[in-house]
Amino acid sequence: MRKSADLLIPALAACGVVVALDQGTKALATSLVSRGDRIEVLPFLHLENVRNQGVAFGIGGDISAVFIGATIVLLLGFLVFIAVRGGSGWLVWLPAALLIGGALGNLADRVRDGAVTDFISLPAWPTFNLADVAIVVGVLLLLFDVERSNR
């Protein structure tokens, strides 16, 4: 358990970096691109200023205060689970930090604006943001760790 405690501070710092990068890039994108507009950066990459009121990729419509509260409870529960039972290595703490930081970044948007700001647009894929990237990478790394543990 001592090793888990040693990794908690760096993991919380990583979580904070994810939130800061997410919120900073969203602020930059919204300052460069008017809401509803789109700017071509590369032929396959556009900056777009859209709001996502749904859960993931706009699915689910408007999100209620109950969903926001449930998200907070689930994030805290996940953090306690990782701290108590999840393991002590970076393959647990870093993905957890990415996942929680991404969720907190999007949650901040929901609380502040009632919707998540998305700005990265690729062909044939819903518009997303850095918090979404952190969540996906965190989940993939956690799955990698579970698969590795099963071997």
Side-chain angles (χ1 to χ4, degrees):
M1 187 68 167
R2 177 76 180 129
K3 189 157 174 89
S4 289
D6 292 343
L7 292 174
L8 181 60
I9 299 299
L12 289 174
C15 184
V17 167
V18 169
V19 173
L21 284 173
D22 172 64
Q23 293 296 299
T25 56
K26 287 173 181 173
L28 180 62
T30 58
S31 73
L32 295 173
V33 183
S34 298
R35 193 168 177 180
D37 285 347
R38 178 182 183 142
I39 296 174
E40 182 177 316
V41 177
L42 297 169
F44 61 88
L45 173 66
H46 293 84
L47 290 182
E48 193 169 355
N49 185 344
V50 298
R51 299 299 179 275
N52 174 0
Q53 294 181 325
V55 179
F57 308 118
I59 298 169
D62 289 338
I63 300 300
S64 69
V66 173
F67 179 81
I68 291 171
T71 300
I72 292 169
V73 169
L74 286 171
L75 287 174
L76 290 173
F78 177 65
L79 185 58
V80 168
F81 174 78
I82 293 293
V84 171
R85 196 160 177 251
S88 59
W90 271 110
L91 276 178
V92 173
W93 281 103
L94 180 60
L98 291 172
L99 197 153
I100 292 170
L104 289 175
N106 282 340
L107 188 62
D109 288 2
R110 288 190 194 287
V111 169
R112 184 183 57 245
D113 304 326
V116 173
T117 300
D118 289 329
F119 63 92
I120 302 168
S121 180
L122 298 172
W125 196 260
T127 307
F128 60 97
N129 58 52
L130 290 186
D132 299 333
V133 173
I135 291 167
V136 169
V137 170
V139 167
L140 290 174
L141 288 173
L142 284 171
L143 291 172
F144 172 76
D145 185 55
V146 167
E147 181 62 30
R148 185 182 60 87
S149 297
N150 287 339
R151 288 184 181 172

